[in-house]
Amino acid sequence: MREQKPAVEFDTVPLSKREQILAAAREEFLEYGYAATTMDAVAARAGVSKATIYAHFENKQTLFGAMITNRCEQSFDKLPVPRGDARSLRTELHALGLMMIRLIYAPEAIALYRVVIAESARQPELGEIFHVSGPARAMASLTAYFQKLKDKGLLAIPDARLTAEMFVGMLKGQDYMRRLLNMEEGGCRPEDLVEAAVETLLRAYALQAEEV
Amino acid sequence: MREQKPAVEFDTVPLSKREQILAAAREEFLEYGYAATTMDAVAARAGVSKATIYAHFENKQTLFGAMITNRCEQSFDKLPVPRGDARSLRTELHALGLMMIRLIYAPEAIALYRVVIAESARQPELGEIFHVSGPARAMASLTAYFQKLKDKGLLAIPDARLTAEMFVGMLKGQDYMRRLLNMEEGGCRPEDLVEAAVETLLRAYALQAEEV
DNA sequence: GTCTATAAGAGGATAGAC
DNA sequence: GTCTATCCTCTTATAGAC
């Protein structure tokens, strides 16, 4: 009798205990950091007992690692995949830049990055997990894009990978550091950096004059 | 009698207790992070008792903040101050770039940045202290440098500040992120990024052809 | 100011019933 | 698997002698 399903099935699938715990862990860890987060707090937020957490995860470190992995997989699903065939290269690069800073500057992405940096000093595999499932994928995609532009004869760049790194670096500027440091905004606006980065790349390497 | 000075004065000035404590705190905090560092460990490393630490610093947070402030002041004294009058702009930019990545990529600078990022989530004023005494000073100096190049008619940049941000961003690339995440090196080599960044800037904005 | 010894409490992890 | 109740270690901070 205890295993009986409810008479009425609802569309909203209830979260499994494991998912509840992971969600609670994410909120706690991202807000308070690893050390300042207590298993009691995670249990309370998840609505389960502490013992239940330990039935699903070996210990606090394991729970943290599971949360990071889970979060990275979800955050970077929606990668920007430019086609490289727009009529205006400038427009396409500009849209790509905006999409990337929106991904990179999302508050949750910043919080995740911050907590992974903090703990990677003690658990180096966390840095690897984060990088492989997030930034590395984005860089690979971006490198392929610039390679396509080069092959098409649109950009006279010497190395697609280097160009991708420089492009992302230019987009971040100082404002990214400021946000990691939990400061008020106050450097250059990210939108201005997108403008300037695209302008710089095109002036340096564009083969077809397409300035309007 | 207990206050008597030693009969022979040595050239090596002994560190005051306060300085001993700060040095020990730096080593512990940078290696183990804020939470994992214990006051016992700091006391042991400094060669004093815990009570002595509390005689000099109100509590653990205060000690951490004092260490950060102290460290920032020392780390960023040796700022690169380019003159903007070298015969070859390319050579000067290249040297500047190398100097900056040497500063930015110093292991202790990385460790300091990491621990400040981690704790700035709880103590926002730490981020401010770090930024003002370090990166902000470097950016101001770099902005002034690019402004000089612009005024001299060497670079046709629209905005010195934006250019400074992009230049630093290009220098960092992905490798900086990899180091913060405590990963093995493996992206683009920083030296290649310096080359590429200088090349890009010059191609985009140089007014006098000086390619050799 | 500096020490030894200790108070006081937090928090990770588990035992045992259901 | 899940809960309640508890153990036990580790760590911050202080009391009190010198």
Side-chain angles (χ1 to χ4, degrees), chain A residues 63-135:
Chain A
L63 173 61
F64 184 73
M67 182 277 286
I68 297 293
T69 307
N70 174 274
R71 212 52 212 157
C72 287
E73 285 166 356
Q74 294 186 20
S75 274
F76 295 94
D77 269 352
K78 35 186 176 180
L79 281 175
V81 185
R83 298 158 303 168
D85 56 3
R87 280 166 307 172
S88 164
L89 183 55
R90 179 181 295 272
T91 304
E92 190 169 272
L93 280 174
H94 198 267
L96 172 58
L98 284 178
M99 207 173 341
M100 296 211 66
I101 62 168
R102 217 167 290 144
L103 250 182
I104 291 174
Y105 279 22
E108 199 191 293
I110 298 275
L112 188 63
Y113 189 29
R114 186 186 288 136
V115 77
V116 172
I117 287 174
E119 280 316 296
S120 67
R122 259 79 55 198
Q123 308 182 55
E125 69 276 11
L126 286 182
E128 186 82 26
I129 291 172
F130 174 81
H131 192 264
V132 167
S133 60

Side-chain angles (χ1 to χ4, degrees), chain A:
Chain A
M1 279 301 188
R2 299 229 310 280
E3 300 292 328
Q4 185 183 17
K5 295 267 178 79
V8 179
E9 296 275 346
F10 291 98
D11 284 325
T12 53
V13 180
L15 292 175
S16 71
K17 293 275 182 192
R18 186 188 164 87
E19 287 168 324
Q20 283 176 47
I21 295 169
L22 276 176
R26 185 190 79 232
E27 293 168 23
E28 292 289 325
F29 280 129
L30 290 192
E31 179 161 1
Y32 302 108
Y34 179 80
T37 292
T38 70
M39 297 298 264
D40 283 295
V42 175
R45 193 186 276 264
V48 302
S49 78
K50 232 188 330 182
T52 300
I53 297 182
Y54 281 98
H56 286 270
F57 302 93
E58 193 182 344
N59 53 34
K60 188 180 176 182
Q61 265 199 18
T62 308
L63 173 61
F64 184 73
M67 182 277 286
I68 297 293
T69 307
N70 174 274
R71 212 52 212 157
C72 287
E73 285 166 356
Q74 294 186 20
S75 274
F76 295 94
D77 269 352
K78 35 186 176 180
L79 281 175
V81 185
R83 298 158 303 168
D85 56 3
R87 280 166 307 172
S88 164
L89 183 55
R90 179 181 295 272
T91 304
E92 190 169 272
L93 280 174
H94 198 267
L96 172 58
L98 284 178
M99 207 173 341
M100 296 211 66
I101 62 168
R102 217 167 290 144
L103 250 182
I104 291 174
Y105 279 22
E108 199 191 293
I110 298 275
L112 188 63
Y113 189 29
R114 186 186 288 136
V115 77
V116 172
I117 287 174
E119 280 316 296
S120 67
R122 259 79 55 198
Q123 308 182 55
E125 69 276 11
L126 286 182
E128 186 82 26
I129 291 172
F130 174 81
H131 192 264
V132 167
S133 60
R137 272 205 265 171
M139 284 307 297
S141 161
L142 199 60
T143 299
Y145 171 66
F146 279 117
Q147 187 63 47
K148 198 187 293 181
L149 294 182
K150 182 183 180 184
D151 292 342
K152 282 193 174 183
L154 292 170
L155 280 185
I157 51 175
D159 185 284
R161 172 72 187 276
L162 271 174
T163 308
E165 295 222 4
M166 288 194 293
F167 187 58
V168 176
M170 285 193 282
L171 292 181
K172 285 183 180 173
Q174 278 290 97
D175 228 52
Y176 192 63
M177 174 183 274
R178 295 176 68 94
R179 302 213 190 186
L180 281 180
L181 293 173
N182 206 20
M183 298 175 66
E184 302 297 317
E185 306 166 29
C188 298
R189 287 171 41 224
E191 292 77 9
D192 291 339
L193 278 167
V194 173
E195 276 285 341
V198 172
E199 173 74 15
T200 301
L201 265 195
L202 288 180
R203 285 182 70 119
Y205 299 113
L207 282 171
Q208 300 174 8
E210 55 166 345
E211 323 290 324
V212 187

